[in-house]
Amino acid sequence: LQTMCKKAYIYPANDTENDFFKSMHYALEYNGVSVTNRLLDFFSTDIYILNWYETVYRHQFLLFLKKRAFLLLLRLTRKNCIVYLHNVRPHRKYVAIPDYRLSERLLRYLIRYSTALVCLSETSVRYFPASVQKELVNARRKIHCIPHPNFTHITPLPKAISPDKLRLLSFGGIELYKGVEIAVEAMNDIRTPQIELWIVGAAQKTIQNRLQELSTNPNTHFDFRYIEEKYLPELFAYFDLCVYPLDMDSCLNSSSVLLAFSMQTSVICPQIATLDTYPQGDYIAYSYATPSDHIQALSAAIQKAYALKKNNPDIFTLMGENCYSETLKQNNQDLINNKIKEIL
């Protein structure tokens, strides 16, 4: 290993429990780069790694100006500025609506001023709007692909699924862009008693009430607890598939999908960049144009999954095992360590 000589600052600096940042810290230190979370170390810091930096919500014009000024400072002081492209554009949340105009302006500045751009999937560029794609094509020489880490440090348990039922799981903190309401409405259209959906994840009380009021299918169940990591293998073992009706206007990658794969569980999900490098027969993907189309497309995908299981009760166990072996190859830490070396 190289000696510790370079220093990096990762934005945002205080999200230390996120597995993505843990992986990045490890990869940097593996390659001889120390990490600081202090902007006071500005002049002794060589590398600035920016994640979700383009995100600006409504009524945040001052934040946009501050972010723009900081980018200019990085350029003037010739810092190595590495920009990760996580989303097509910022996510809509229950409590905040993005300012898409300012966010795209900031993203275009990031593409121009960065020393390196990192996509998490080989196909990411084609998902951006034409105006951003044009900037990315001009900057193609500085684009690198470094995959999102898997979650295979958690050991999955053997599946304990029912041969007669299709049990579906929507897991994770509940936010607008994750499409949990779409899943509830899709289940409202399905009256097959053998199909169950469990929505598991923390949510604000108002959102809990909203989801429960929206549901008319007694086979849609809610558990609004936060589930600790050590209980995840037991949880995922109970389900055939995970359902992630993500918002394709903003979602490019999904750590939720990679968590499912790491738990030997396949997914029903829109065709996002994360899925593009996985064999098409190992997951159920769909596309849609409008929110009402999304409900119909997801409902059709769930009913397709039920028909597949009726025909072969072991199909999703096999698909989950295939996804697991692929994520071991495509999203492992050794690969990330070697790829990040190229941009330091």
Side-chain angles (χ1 to χ4, degrees):
L1 294 182
Q2 303 165 19
T3 54
M4 289 280 184
C5 53
K6 289 184 177 178
K7 189 187 288 182
Y9 177 90
I10 301 171
Y11 174 92
N14 299 317
D15 200 349
T16 53
E17 292 308 304
N18 182 311
D19 283 281
F20 175 78
F21 289 119
K22 287 179 184 175
S23 166
M24 187 185 288
H25 271 253
Y26 183 88
L28 290 168
E29 287 169 1
Y30 178 87
N31 285 292
V33 178
S34 63
V35 178
T36 178
N37 63 357
R38 287 161 40 92
L39 278 174
L40 290 172
D41 294 338
F42 182 84
F43 290 106
S44 64
T45 302
D46 312 279
I47 303 162
Y48 283 81
I49 302 175
L50 307 181
N51 298 277
W52 302 285
Y53 191 83
E54 70 280 7
T55 300
V56 178
Y57 287 95
R58 288 182 186 173
H59 315 299
Q60 289 188 331
F61 185 67
L62 189 58
L63 176 64
F64 166 79
L65 292 177
K66 286 179 180 175
K67 286 186 168 186
R68 177 82 175 82
F70 187 67
L71 278 181
L72 192 58
L73 179 61
L74 292 180
R75 197 173 191 204
L76 290 171
T77 51
R78 297 173 180 264
K79 300 293 185 184
N80 186 357
C81 176
I82 299 168
V83 173
Y84 273 72
L85 301 172
H86 290 273
N87 301 325
V88 176
R89 53 185 190 163
H91 295 312
R92 291 183 306 133
K93 297 188 174 179
Y94 283 113
V95 295
I97 303 297
D99 187 319
Y100 294 121
R101 187 179 62 86
L102 290 182
S103 293
E104 185 175 315
R105 277 177 66 186
L106 200 50
L107 178 57
R108 289 163 74 176
Y109 291 139
L110 285 164
I111 293 167
R112 288 176 204 168
Y113 295 163
S114 60
T115 47
L117 292 162
V118 178
C119 294
L120 302 179
S121 304
E122 294 284 357
T123 58
S124 293
V125 171
R126 72 177 186 217
Y127 287 88
F128 285 92
S131 54
V132 176
Q133 276 193 40
K134 186 178 175 184
E135 296 279 355
L136 288 168
V137 168
N138 291 338
R140 60 188 174 276
R141 287 187 179 141
K142 59 182 180 182
I143 296 177
H144 302 258
C145 181
I146 302 175
H148 191 292
N150 59 34
F151 297 83
T152 53
H153 62 280
I154 313 169
T155 306
L157 289 173
K159 286 290 181 187
I161 54 181
S162 163
D164 307 315
K165 290 185 176 182
L166 179 70
R167 288 202 181 110
L168 306 171
L169 172 66
S170 174
F171 173 75
I174 293 168
E175 261 303 348
L176 190 57
Y177 69 90
K178 294 185 180 179
V180 176
E181 290 178 35
I182 301 285
V184 170
E185 293 206 61
M187 282 297 290
N188 288 348
D189 289 345
I190 294 168
R191 289 299 171 188
T192 308
Q194 291 84 7
I195 300 175
E196 294 180 3
L197 171 67
W198 288 76
I199 291 165
V200 180
Q204 296 172 349
K205 190 66 182 171
T206 52
I207 307 308
Q208 294 179 24
N209 294 340
R210 180 167 160 174
L211 291 169
Q212 287 170 323
E213 286 167 11
L214 188 62
S215 177
T216 59
N217 187 333
N219 284 333
T220 301
H221 308 279
F222 300 92
D223 182 346
F224 295 116
R225 292 175 300 158
Y226 170 80
I227 308 295
E228 290 180 48
E229 189 177 276
K230 64 184 177 183
Y231 299 119
L232 295 184
E234 188 181 350
L235 173 69
F236 278 80
Y238 185 71
F239 293 96
D240 294 280
L241 293 166
C242 283
V243 176
Y244 294 118
L246 301 169
D247 182 355
M248 290 190 75
D249 276 350
S250 65
C251 292
L252 184 61
N253 309 285
S254 173
S255 58
S256 297
V257 167
L258 293 175
L259 174 61
F261 289 173
S262 301
M263 292 289 97
Q264 295 187 348
T265 307
S266 187
V267 298
I268 300 174
C269 182
Q271 187 74 47
I272 57 169
T274 300
L275 294 176
D276 286 339
T277 54
Y278 281 76
Q280 285 189 332
D282 289 340
Y283 56 85
I284 297 174
Y286 60 90
S287 58
Y288 65 91
T290 66
S292 59
D293 285 345
H294 196 171
I295 295 165
Q296 291 174 343
L298 178 58
S299 178
I302 290 171
Q303 291 178 86
K304 175 185 174 182
Y306 180 62
L308 286 169
K309 184 167 181 180
K310 276 185 80 175
N311 190 48
N312 177 3
D314 298 321
I315 189 167
F316 297 126
T317 300
L318 297 170
M319 282 168 63
E321 288 169 358
N322 291 345
C323 290
Y324 180 75
S325 61
E326 278 295 321
T327 202
L328 284 174
K329 284 189 285 189
Q330 294 191 31
N331 305 89
N332 68 74
Q333 188 64 43
D334 288 341
L335 185 61
I336 294 164
N337 295 346
N338 292 328
K339 290 269 191 181
I340 212 165
K341 190 187 300 181
E342 299 169 10
I343 58 173
L344 298 175

